[in-house]
Amino acid sequence: MSSGVPDTNKEQLNVENRKMKVCVATCNRADYSKLAPIMFALRDDPGMELQVVVMGTHLMDDYGSTYRIIQQDGFDVEGYLHTIVRGEDEAAMAESVGLALVKLPDVLTRLKPDLLIVHGDRFDALSLATCAALMNIRILHIEGGEVSGTIDDSIRHSITKLAHYHACCTDRARRRLLSMCEDNDRILLSGCPTYDKLLSCDVTNYDNVLARWAEGANPKEYIVALQHPVTTNIKDSLKMFDLMLDALLDFGVKTVVLFPNIDAGSKEMTRTIRRRGLEHNPNFSLCKHIPYDQFIILMANAGCLIGNSSAGIREAGAFGTPVINLGKRQIGREAGENVLHVKDADTKSKILHAINLQFQKQFPSSHIYGDGRACQRIMKCINKIKKDLDQPIQKSFIFPPIRDTVSQDIDHILETQSALAVDLGGTNLRVAIISQQGEILHKTTEPTPGTYEERMDLLMRMLVEASSKAVELSCRILGIGISTGGRVNPHEGMVLHSTKILEEWSSIDLRTPISNKFHLPVWVENDGNCAALGERKFGKGVGSEDFITLIVGTGIGGGIVLNNELVHGANFCAAELGHITVSMDGPDCMCGSSGCVESYASGLALQREGKKLLDADELLVPGVNLRGEEVTAKHVIQAAQLGNKKAEKVVERACEALGSAVCTLLHTVNPSHIILCGHLAPHYVDGVREVIQRRALPSAANNVQVMVSDLEEPALLGAASIVLEFATRRIY
């Protein structure tokens, strides 16, 4: 007999072969402006089934009955929910949350969405997120991680904790989400969806808009006023609203006043407008709602925007419109130079002075909150979520390191928390077991095979052997970190491209086959970046926020740490330090260019010059014996140390090239430390210091420390550090 309970396991089968059901619930005019671009993109995607739920002030005449805008945009609405309890006070807000929680389960049970998209920081959104979380529905939160300085912060951050995925607008917001212990892999820096429309809108076509909302005014000759109550200090916010109206009346230009939102205190603000008779004042135009397309044009052409709406901080910056932000609402948001804050707006004269300063000024546009491609990124994220629908829904929090509690499990007491680390270089392939303290407990080394198949076979075999050894050593392996040559996308675990040092090593997915075989999390990173991470965790980079690691081995690579963060660059091409050009007509480099520092100072470069000296019978001196070996960089170094003038010149030229590259780095990023790694580092360090003193600006040369790494295997340790950091808190 059927129980009537849905079989969730069956529903997850073949999830990629059916449409993904995405529910977008919109509560008010403001969040619809952010959600509409995503809704259009979902509707146009053949792999998605858009479900729209309309609730909150959309359904209230006092707030413009804005559900009609959604209908006019052609969206099929699956449910209309009246969720607002009138009263416009603190109790009404709380009751509205409760009413929504009573009504939402029926709708979500009927729709059975795979994903619910929730926007922002309103109390309606908190109801949505709470209901979805309790019903095991995945949640994508738009615009989390921001700070505005009111009760909205508490609501926004509460939704963050309930949400499974996050699309944030700025890097600062992303960092806040990380600080709140959210999973880095589930945070998307998308930008604000409204900027997709803002940056493509023709704001010069303003005649009809001004005629409708600012009748008789020309561009830059009117003010837009939009002020909301501050629910944590209603009394002061009402006083500030009264003072703002006094100042606007005195200033005497056309003013478009939008009614406030439904937060506690809004009824008193509306009464203030009525009491002053502003609807009969020809200088004032009162609006319950302005369609967003028209609001953009109105705001872009305003002489000034005044109040405490986020539109002044976010959207207005895209046009350089002057803004006066009154009070402490929005005070925590990132703002452009167009925003003038009046934190203590306690007198009419202060507000009036701010209006005189800002009115009709023109500021450069700022794109702090987006670049016009947010929806594209969000849709890519949603399609990625679709592939994970068969995975457990339980979210994990990434807590900061804390002292472990005493385990009651004897295996945990006896085991050593460790990482499997791989260093895949042009010459050797190394696999090691590394403890949380950076101790290399076991290491094996093999020559790096020349083909992709041989390389992967050897890597798998070495990892299997290391896993078996870990059991013998009572090590609990937390994950696998891989350091490899080439340009790497660490987010996808992909080697994007490599030079000829590693043949057949482009467009390689390392993460998937290794993770599938060993059932462990796998991280992949460029070897130079790994060396920097190793120094930051275990070596001479400990305690330094700005340093550069240079690996001088078979090739030359490195990593850059600025403000205690690894620099990847827009296309993961940052810190390709071996390919800094030091000569316009230098030797050919393995990258296909010429004159790179790698073509002068790498092990392969010294080997090339050594072969030339050997062919000319100018390499061997007493004490240098090849013993049937192929000439290598060590033979050139040895010959130079034994007084071979030709070999000395080769090493001096290598030091000059490497020192010149370091000078470029000093003048570009101004690090406090340069850490040289690799088997050639001890032979170059003095020469590099001498070049810096001779070539670099004194301010750069006198404040940098050039040193040789103490770490035996910096790249291996760096690969391990990624695993060990992620096992406690993802700060990578």
Side-chain angles (χ1 to χ4, degrees):
M1 181 180 293
S2 171
S3 66
V5 179
D7 188 341
T8 54
N9 291 326
K10 289 183 179 179
E11 288 183 6
Q12 295 297 342
L13 294 176
N14 301 318
V15 68
E16 293 191 28
N17 297 324
R18 66 169 174 83
K19 288 188 174 184
M20 180 180 181
K21 294 188 285 187
V22 182
C23 179
V24 180
T26 173
C27 309
N28 54 66
R29 66 192 183 194
D31 79 6
Y32 182 65
S33 68
K34 314 293 177 68
L35 294 170
I38 304 172
M39 293 163 65
F40 282 115
L42 286 167
R43 187 178 66 181
D44 295 341
D45 190 318
M48 299 293 162
E49 178 185 332
L50 173 64
Q51 303 169 327
V52 180
V53 175
V54 176
M55 52 192 284
T57 56
H58 278 306
L59 304 175
M60 299 175 64
D61 180 63
D62 285 356
Y63 294 88
S65 298
T66 49
Y67 71 90
R68 297 191 184 98
I69 303 292
I70 302 168
Q71 294 174 338
Q72 290 167 12
D73 284 341
F75 291 111
D76 296 326
V77 178
E78 302 288 347
Y80 295 93
L81 296 182
H82 292 270
T83 56
I84 298 299
V85 176
R86 298 308 300 262
E88 284 80 1
D89 58 16
E90 295 96 327
M93 289 170 63
E95 289 168 351
S96 296
V97 171
L99 181 59
L101 283 171
V102 170
K103 293 188 174 185
L104 279 167
D106 287 342
V107 176
L108 295 180
T109 300
R110 172 169 55 87
L111 296 180
K112 294 182 175 64
D114 298 307
L115 180 71
L116 176 71
I117 298 181
V118 176
H119 168 268
D121 50 27
R122 306 294 301 142
F123 58 83
D124 324 66
L126 180 60
S127 304
L128 284 162
T130 302
C131 187
L134 292 173
M135 294 180 70
N136 285 327
I137 298 169
R138 287 172 169 81
I139 302 166
L140 170 60
H141 185 206
I142 309 294
E143 294 186 7
E146 297 184 15
V147 175
S148 55
T150 65
I151 189 64
D152 295 350
D153 287 345
S154 299
I155 295 174
R156 186 187 308 108
H157 301 332
S158 297
I159 296 171
T160 289
K161 305 319 295 177
L162 295 167
H164 304 83
Y165 306 92
H166 314 273
C168 56
C169 298
T170 69
D171 185 60
R172 191 171 294 179
R174 181 189 68 83
R175 294 185 192 209
R176 290 195 190 100
L177 291 175
L178 289 174
S179 297
M180 287 190 280
C181 305
E182 294 300 313
D183 188 335
N184 186 55
D185 285 351
R186 295 190 170 200
I187 300 172
L188 171 70
L189 180 52
S190 63
C192 181
T194 53
Y195 270 65
D196 292 18
K197 176 172 283 189
L198 285 176
L199 300 182
S200 62
C201 182
D202 179 13
V203 297
T204 61
N205 187 16
Y206 49 72
D207 290 340
N208 291 336
V209 173
L210 296 196
R212 171 68 181 86
W213 304 106
E215 184 179 359
N218 293 317
K220 307 300 180 185
E221 293 182 357
Y222 61 91
I223 292 174
V224 175
L226 179 51
Q227 178 136 340
H228 301 300
V230 177
T231 57
T232 51
N233 194 345
I234 296 174
K235 181 180 178 181
D236 284 351
S237 69
L238 292 175
K239 177 184 177 183
M240 185 165 56
F241 184 66
D242 218 24
L243 292 171
M244 179 189 75
L245 294 179
D246 282 341
L248 290 170
L249 284 165
D250 280 9
F251 195 69
V253 302
K254 186 73 176 183
T255 302
V256 181
V257 179
L258 278 84
F259 281 88
N261 63 23
I262 200 170
D263 282 351
S266 60
K267 184 185 293 184
E268 287 78 2
M269 284 187 170
T270 302
R271 286 173 179 161
T272 298
I273 293 171
R274 304 293 188 202
R275 187 177 66 249
R276 288 172 170 272
L278 294 184
E279 64 266 37
H280 305 301
N281 189 319
N283 260 357
F284 281 77
S285 174
L286 307 183
C287 314
K288 292 180 181 178
H289 169 70
I290 300 175
Y292 191 66
D293 290 353
Q294 298 177 38
F295 179 70
I296 292 173
I297 296 172
L298 190 71
M299 177 175 55
N301 291 281
C304 177
L305 189 149
I306 189 170
N308 61 6
S309 168
S310 63
I313 306 296
R314 304 170 69 94
E315 286 94 329
F319 309 107
T321 301
V323 173
I324 301 165
N325 187 67
L326 300 178
K328 296 178 182 177
R329 192 175 193 263
Q330 314 300 345
I331 204 68
R333 292 194 193 271
E334 298 164 66
E337 60 181 290
N338 62 310
V339 178
L340 175 63
H341 289 286
V342 185
K343 295 179 186 178
D344 297 315
D346 50 4
T347 65
K348 179 182 73 172
S349 60
K350 191 183 292 185
I351 299 173
L352 192 57
H353 185 62
I355 297 173
N356 280 298
L357 285 174
Q358 289 286 85
F359 186 65
Q360 294 185 332
K361 285 183 74 173
Q362 186 58 45
F363 294 92
S365 61
S366 61
H367 298 167
I368 295 171
Y369 288 92
D371 60 2
R373 297 197 297 271
C375 282
Q376 175 185 335
R377 297 186 183 102
I378 291 171
M379 288 303 298
K380 184 178 179 181
C381 173
I382 293 173
N383 276 287
K384 188 176 179 182
I385 295 171
K386 182 180 180 182
K387 297 177 182 178
D388 294 336
L389 291 180
D390 58 346
Q391 300 299 312
I393 193 172
Q394 177 62 48
K395 71 178 286 187
S396 299
F397 299 103
I398 313 301
F399 294 106
I402 55 176
R403 180 177 295 178
D404 289 339
T405 56
V406 177
S407 175
Q408 299 304 311
D409 188 316
I410 188 65
D411 289 335
H412 287 188
I413 294 172
L414 297 176
E415 287 176 341
T416 302
Q417 290 193 341
S418 309
L420 282 183
V422 176
D423 182 20
L424 202 160
T427 304
N428 291 314
L429 172 57
R430 289 180 281 268
V431 174
I433 303 170
I434 297 177
S435 74
Q436 209 159 15
Q437 291 71 40
E439 181 184 358
I440 299 176
L441 304 174
H442 173 76
K443 182 177 72 172
T444 55
T445 303
E446 296 285 349
T448 302
T451 67
Y452 164 74
E453 289 81 6
E454 293 172 338
R455 206 173 288 145
M456 290 300 294
D457 287 345
L458 177 60
L459 175 57
M460 291 294 193
R461 189 164 66 251
M462 293 175 74
L463 284 171
V464 168
E465 293 170 359
S467 298
S468 299
K469 191 67 177 178
V471 175
E472 294 178 24
L473 297 173
S474 297
C475 293
R476 180 152 59 99
I477 300 299
L478 303 174
I480 301 173
I482 300 175
S483 161
T484 176
R487 187 163 62 94
V488 173
N489 179 343
H491 306 311
E492 303 293 338
M494 292 279 296
V495 181
L496 302 176
H497 176 261
S498 183
T499 64
K500 294 178 182 177
I501 292 176
L502 275 171
E503 297 281 2
E504 300 183 24
W505 207 238
S506 297
S507 301
I508 304 297
D509 179 2
L510 276 180
R511 174 181 292 165
T512 302
I514 296 173
S515 182
N516 288 344
K517 182 174 180 63
F518 293 94
H519 304 290
L520 287 169
V522 175
W523 290 271
V524 185
E525 184 54 276
N526 168 266
D527 52 5
N529 287 340
C530 278
L533 292 172
E535 293 294 340
R536 186 179 73 175
K537 176 73 173 175
F538 301 112
K540 291 189 173 177
V542 173
S544 174
E545 293 190 352
D546 304 283
F547 69 90
I548 294 175
T549 298
L550 262 168
I551 306 177
V552 279
T554 306
I556 292 181
I560 300 174
V561 173
L562 292 179
N563 296 322
N564 209 32
E565 288 202 356
L566 191 64
V567 177
H568 282 104
N571 298 307
F572 311 105
C573 202
E576 288 289 348
L577 306 183
H579 303 291
I580 296 174
T581 301
V582 293
S583 173
M584 299 302 291
D585 55 356
D588 291 339
C589 182
M590 298 290 277
C591 70
S593 185
S594 62
C596 300
V597 64
E598 186 172 286
S599 68
Y600 284 98
S602 66
L604 288 177
L606 294 191
Q607 182 183 46
R608 180 194 67 227
E609 297 302 314
K611 287 178 178 178
K612 290 180 183 177
L613 292 177
L614 184 64
D615 291 343
D617 200 23
E618 295 177 334
L619 176 64
L620 300 181
V621 295
V624 179
N625 190 344
L626 296 181
R627 296 187 181 86
E629 300 175 1
E630 183 181 19
V631 65
T632 63
K634 73 175 183 180
H635 297 116
V636 178
I637 296 288
Q638 188 179 19
Q641 290 173 336
L642 292 171
N644 184 323
K645 298 300 182 186
K646 298 278 189 178
E648 283 180 9
K649 192 168 185 63
V650 170
V651 176
E652 287 172 3
R653 188 171 70 154
C655 288
E656 187 73 24
L658 190 62
S660 297
V662 169
C663 287
T664 299
L665 294 169
L666 295 182
H667 297 153
T668 305
V669 296
N670 190 30
S672 62
H673 297 74
I674 300 288
I675 304 170
L676 301 183
C677 308
H679 64 275
L680 296 176
H683 308 294
Y684 285 160
V685 63
D686 290 335
V688 169
R689 288 171 179 157
E690 188 275 326
V691 174
I692 290 173
Q693 291 302 318
R694 180 161 38 87
R695 285 179 171 266
L697 291 171
S699 56
N702 296 336
N703 293 297
V704 67
Q705 296 183 52
V706 181
M707 57 189 70
V708 177
S709 172
D710 290 333
L711 299 180
E712 176 189 350
E713 296 283 2
L716 270 177
L717 289 167
S721 78
I722 303 173
V723 177
L724 299 171
E725 293 283 9
F726 270 69
T728 52
R729 173 169 174 73
R730 299 191 182 194
I731 61 173
Y732 163 61

